[in-house]
Structure formats: structure tokens, C-alpha cells
Amino acid sequence: MFFKTLTEHFEKLEATTSRLAMMDILVHLFRETPPNLMDKVVYLTLGEVYPPYVGLEIGLADKLVLRAISLATGIQDSRVEQEYKTLGDSGLVAEKLLSTRRKAALFSQPLTVEKVYSTFEKMCRISGEGAQDTKIKLFAGLLTDATPKEAKYLSRIASGRLRLGVAEMTILDALAIAYGGSRELRDIIERAYNITSDIGLIAKALAEGGVDAIKSIRITVGRPIKPQLAERLSSLNEILGKLNGKCIAEYKYDGLRIQAHISDGTVLLFSRRQENITKQFPDIVEVLRKCLKAREAILDGEAVPVDPNTGELLPFQVVAQRRRKYDIDRYAEEIPVTLFLFDILYLDGIDLTVKPYLERKKVLETVIEETDRVKLAQYIISGNIEEIENFFHKAIQDGTEGLICKSILPDSIYEAGKRGWQWIKWKRSYRSEMVDTVDLVAVGAFAGRGKRAGTYGALLMAVYNPEKDRFETICKLGSGFTDEDLARLPEIFKPYLISHKHPRVESNMEADYWFIPAIVAEVIGDEITLSPMHTCGFGIIRPKSGLAIRFPRLIRFREDKRPEDATTTAEIVEMYRMQLKTIEEETSIDTTS
Ligand code: AMP
């Protein structure tokens, strides 16, 4: 398959902001792709070479891409850098300078997807001394054979900035249409993706073996499963109503979600976003190796920092410091963590995700030998409000965030990658003011004035609407930043800066800067109010009105969350309704007396 075919589709994708149009373009591309190349085409469309959990990236810094352009064109470094200063995108530099090349290289052949992919693969795997030079040479080799248009996309992929705006969900939709089009097929494809976290694998299996091949995809130790997520409600009555009157009420630990894959004493750890974080937690690896009374398992839990002297749980921020590249052992000693396990998804060849929660719990309890560092999450099984409330207060006292109430019905399977009503978090009372934080995505920014001149004055924040797969604005966030944070904002957001509103963002406001939705921040505000300016839940409570957060303040950035993990529109609508209800209850006058 010629690489040209792929770049022609990239151009079309880049030119549209409509999700439906994107889907059509992808369907067309997938139909043109030979089945054995489907995985490669999908990875490249996402600007990747491997699924993220593999942890291998090309990662050629812009500067090195420029050197490769210079090598391939014979144009001096200084001129290439000058162009970069003007154009600000190594892709555009490559396109421009390759088109000024007098003639194509003497024996150059049209690039194929196979050739591009295998070169990128090599670039990902090179390490050690001289790696950089070899990478540049390999990349310059590709550019030599490329047309200017191809060079533009090659450079963007190599530098990790392809940004076609294609969401994984759009690819899954397009796959379902390209290969048979039923809603049922879409669900089967999504499930397979959620249990493998490898969209290329799914695409290739579907193209080569059809729906049967997808159905036969199994959970595998070593491939992360997308975690199940929780909904939120603010009254226990409602929670029990949703869960049929009885549930497992479990401590909601405030730490890092960790999925542990263990096979014959080899342990792999994955984050909530399926990054491989094994190296950062050698202490957890060590204890997990010893605590499993079986050969193979996949476990789900939360790693929480503990005070080595008192054994008390410490705040989340402390464990975040363990996500580092250097000084790993020192930090493991200084900030010990305990892993609280709450679920088991796989055991010695058996897929447990299809079993009800109580059954999984029983299995977990029989195969784990608890130590100081690996414990089972605390829970009670109850349908009694008073009993659960008491347990909730105990949970708060023990340094957790509250409870997650989980279904114990026969259909309480592990819903990989889904936020559903099987799990409902109950943090604290919402009262009339907002006491619970929300996770918002930065989609734009406003230029700062006065003291903040030269940096951003405020960020435009959004919630996620999964039904529409878009981000809806909810507030301008300008408080809670330290001076250092503020000064660093333009730098933090530089990789995500784009010249126009992102197609997945819904905004009535004109921001001074627009971002690719990527960075999530935890935010607290005073209350949720109606607002004609913001698009969150527009028209749901009242026509021509959305919802906004009043007086929002930054608590912290949440590097562990993806934009799609942000608080949803439905959750904000629910929080607003709860707020109204509490205000009504508190201000209502008893007229019977
Ligand atoms: P949130 O991040 O507020 O949406 O809450 C869901 C997160 O709570 C999960 O992704 C886990 O990281 C964390 N968590 C802590 N304790 C539990 C538990 N017992 N069951 C499930 N998730 C838990």
C-alpha cells in the first residue's frame, strides 16, 4: 500500500471538523487497506507506532526532525531553523523545503506504508550510544523518498504531533461500518478493544477474520484492560434504589489506580490510562510476587501512600511523586505505598470479568495473602442506610474519600472501560455549596493582563459529554494557581496549542488560545449556577442556558486522567439538581404547624 494513499486521507481528515465526515473518510480508508496492514494504518492514523501501553515512541524532538530535513535536502541547518521559526511546525518546514528540492533523489521509490512503518519501528527500538544519530539518519532516509506532502505527515508523526483530531471511538465506529455495520458489531468491537487496549490488534483481527476473530479475542496477561469507572450520586437512598436495595459498600481510597498483571512471578503494573508503570513501583512488584497463591492473575486496586511510622493513609499528592524516572529506589523508601486490592479480573486461564462481583471478591480473598503492603479493600455488604452511613464516616476518618457502592446483582460483571451504575461513588454531602471537586479539561485560555501579562489570565475549562463525544465549557479558571504555576502555563500547554477551536469542543466563548483537550485539572467551586455563556448541559435545565461553576479554584493538575475521564455533563446536571433540592429542603417553611 502506498503511503500516498494514507496521506491523502490524512489531508481530508485534517480538513474537516465534522465527526460524521471523519467517519466516512476512515471507512473509505479502511476499505482501501489490505487486511494485513490494518493495524499499522490505524496506529499511524493515531500518530502512534504501538499501542500506548507498550511504552515505545519515536519521540524525535523537533530539533532532530529539522536536522533530518537538512540531511535529506542538503539545505543548511541555519536556513531550516529559520523556516521553523517562521512556520512553527516541523511538518510545514519539511513540506516547504522538500518542494524546493530541484529533483527527487535519483533512485527514489514511492514510499509504502510497510516501509514507513518498519522504519518507524526501528526508530522506536534504537537505544544506547549513537541512537540519536541513527534515528536522524533513518528518518532522513524516509524524507529522501518522500513527496513534500508525505514529508509533512512523516515529520508530524515522528515528532509526536500528528493531531488529526480522530478519536479512538470514531475509529471503532468506522471499523463497525466498514465491516458489516450493525450496532451489535459495534458493541462487540468496543468490548474487544476495552479488554485489550490495542486498537490496531482489533482492526487487524476484524479485517482478517471478521466478527468471529473479534469474538475470540481473550483477556491476556500483559495487555491492560480498560478500568471500570464509577457513576456518582449524592444520597444513599438513591444509591440503594439504583442497586436494588443492597450493595457492597467499599472504601474509596485516594491514590493511584493500578492494574497488576502477574504471571509466574513476573509482574507488570499499568496505570488508569494503561501506561506501563512497573519501573516506578519496584516495592509493589516485590510484594505482589509473593502474595499471590496462584500462577497467573490480573488484579485491580488503588496504591495509597502510607505514613511509615503510624500506618495512616496520606493524601494523594504524596503518591503522585512516585511517578518519576529517576531516584526511584530512594522515593520507594521515603514514600512507601500500600496497594488496596478490590477486584480480580483473571485467574489461571479463567476470565473473571464475566462473573458477578461477589464471586470475584470471593476468588480475590482466597488467592491473596495480605501483608502490610498488599491489603484487601475494606467493605461491608448491607442494605441498611444507617449501617452504611456509619461505615462512610469510618471511611472518612480512616483517610479515604468516602465509599464506592457496588452492585451485587447477578449481572454485576466487570464492565471494562465503562462508567456505569454498577459502581456508584458517594463522596460527601453536596449541601448547597459545592464540597466535592470536579475534574475538568482545559480547552482554551485567555491572555493575561497586568500582573499576568505574558502568561494566561484564565483557562477555559470543560466537562466531557460521552453521548456526544465532545467537551462542553463550564468555567473560566483563574484562581488557585501559584505564581510559579502561572508562569509555567504557556509552556505546559505549548504542545497542545492549535490555531482554532478543537472539533470536539463546544464553546460559545471566543478564547484567545485554543488547545487540544488533553490536560485535566481538579477544581472546586462555590456552587453550580445557570449560565447562558457556557455550553455544559445546554438546554437541559432551562432553554438557552447551560451550567457553570461559580468561583472555581484549581486544586491540582491530574496527569493520571485522560480528558475522557473528566467529570461528565450528566454528573454536573445531577449535582445541580441535588443542590437545588438541598436548598429547597433547607429553606422550606413547615406550613402545617
Ligand atoms: P473518580 O476518580 O472520582 O472517578 O473515582 C473512581 C476511582 O476511585 C477509581 O478509578 C479508582 O482509582 C478509585 N478507587 C478507590 N477505591 C476504590 C474501590 N474500592 N473501588 C473502585 N475504585 C476505587
Side-chain angles (χ1 to χ4, degrees), residues 436-506:
D436 195 7
T437 61
V438 287
D439 297 318
L440 305 178
V441 187
V443 296
F446 299 87
R449 292 195 210 113
K451 232 180 86 187
R452 293 192 181 177
T455 178
Y456 300 145
L459 298 174
L460 181 59
M461 306 301 290
V463 290
Y464 181 54
N465 183 334
E467 274 87 33
K468 299 186 175 151
D469 186 34
R470 65 183 194 188
F471 298 92
E472 302 173 344
T473 71
I474 188 164
C475 65
K476 278 164 89 171
L477 176 67
S479 304
F481 299 91
T482 61
D483 287 348
E484 275 169 3
D485 277 351
L486 263 179
R488 279 181 49 236
L489 284 179
E491 195 197 333
I492 294 174
F493 283 96
K494 196 170 162 207
Y496 308 104
L497 209 55
I498 42 177
S499 57
H500 49 83
K501 182 161 67 69
H502 192 273
R504 290 168 78 203
V505 170
E506 189 71 13

Side-chain angles (χ1 to χ4, degrees), residues 404-418:
I404 297 203
C405 297
K406 300 184 178 178
S407 167
I408 50 172
L409 294 172
D411 66 355
S412 57
I413 59 166
Y414 190 89
E415 294 193 296
K418 294 266 165 71

Side-chain angles (χ1 to χ4, degrees), residues 123-418:
M123 290 169 68
C124 285
R125 290 185 180 274
I126 294 170
S127 63
E129 217 180 303
Q132 240 184 36
D133 282 342
T134 320
K135 271 194 195 182
I136 295 172
K137 276 189 200 128
L138 281 169
F139 189 57
L142 277 185
L143 291 180
T144 308
D145 289 339
T147 64
K149 253 253 133 82
E150 290 172 339
K152 172 170 92 177
Y153 291 111
L154 287 171
S155 300
R156 287 186 180 164
I157 297 175
S159 60
R161 294 170 206 244
L162 181 63
R163 296 179 189 159
L164 297 175
V166 179
E168 284 164 352
M169 289 301 140
T170 316
I171 291 191
L172 296 184
D173 285 340
L175 284 173
I177 294 173
Y179 292 95
S182 71
R183 181 75 227 169
E184 192 207 10
L185 178 61
R186 173 67 176 75
D187 290 347
I188 295 170
I189 293 175
E190 187 168 344
R191 159 100 186 149
Y193 174 50
N194 284 337
I195 62 169
T196 56
S197 307
D198 186 344
I199 201 157
L201 175 99
I202 303 303
K204 189 172 180 206
L206 187 63
E208 288 188 329
V211 68
D212 289 342
I214 290 285
K215 281 185 182 160
S216 66
I217 286 177
R218 297 275 172 267
I219 285 174
T220 311
V221 178
R223 272 203 304 244
I225 298 167
K226 299 236 169 192
Q228 174 160 359
L229 301 169
E231 279 287 353
R232 123 172 40 205
L233 281 175
S234 47
S235 95
L236 201 45
N237 252 327
E238 279 179 288
I239 294 177
L240 282 175
K242 281 265 184 214
L243 298 176
N244 216 19
K246 199 171 178 187
C247 67
I248 283 192
E250 202 163 77
Y251 273 20
K252 183 178 190 306
Y253 297 93
D254 189 15
L256 281 182
R257 181 97 178 244
I258 287 193
Q259 193 177 94
H261 290 228
I262 309 171
S263 178
D264 285 325
T266 302
V267 179
L268 286 175
L269 304 178
F270 296 106
S271 73
R272 177 188 170 119
R273 300 173 65 158
Q274 294 85 53
E275 300 136 312
N276 186 332
I277 50 169
T278 315
K279 283 208 183 93
Q280 289 150 18
F281 293 94
D283 44 344
I284 296 189
V285 169
E286 197 49 42
V287 289
L288 278 175
R289 204 175 273 148
K290 292 179 192 149
C291 78
L292 180 72
K293 294 184 271 179
R295 200 174 70 76
E296 280 196 322
I298 300 178
L299 308 165
D300 198 355
E302 187 92 352
V304 189
V306 284
D307 184 323
N309 301 316
T310 61
E312 272 177 23
L313 302 186
L314 297 172
F316 162 85
Q317 286 90 329
V318 181
V319 73
Q321 296 177 43
R322 292 282 310 267
R323 297 286 312 269
R324 58 194 309 119
K325 276 193 179 156
Y326 306 105
D327 287 341
I328 286 171
D329 288 332
R330 178 157 72 84
Y331 274 81
E333 220 164 275
E334 278 175 20
I335 308 172
V337 295
T338 293
L339 180 62
F340 290 93
L341 294 170
F342 47 78
D343 215 330
I344 180 162
L345 316 184
Y346 175 90
L347 182 76
D348 288 339
I350 299 167
D351 175 358
L352 295 171
T353 60
V354 292
K355 307 271 189 225
Y357 193 43
L358 266 181
E359 209 171 302
R360 303 203 299 277
K361 276 280 192 220
K362 275 192 204 123
V363 175
L364 182 67
E365 280 155 24
T366 53
V367 298
I368 295 297
E369 192 151 347
E370 286 188 278
T371 69
D372 268 2
R373 294 303 188 75
V374 176
K375 291 194 169 148
L376 299 171
Q378 290 211 46
Y379 70 89
I380 54 169
I381 300 175
S382 175
N384 179 314
I385 290 205
E386 210 183 315
E387 191 181 12
I388 302 177
E389 259 173 8
N390 288 339
F391 192 61
F392 171 81
H393 293 303
K394 184 167 169 288
I396 298 284
Q397 265 175 24
D398 285 346
T400 75
E401 284 188 299
L403 299 177
I404 297 203
C405 297
K406 300 184 178 178
S407 167
I408 50 172
L409 294 172
D411 66 355
S412 57
I413 59 166
Y414 190 89
E415 294 193 296
K418 294 266 165 71

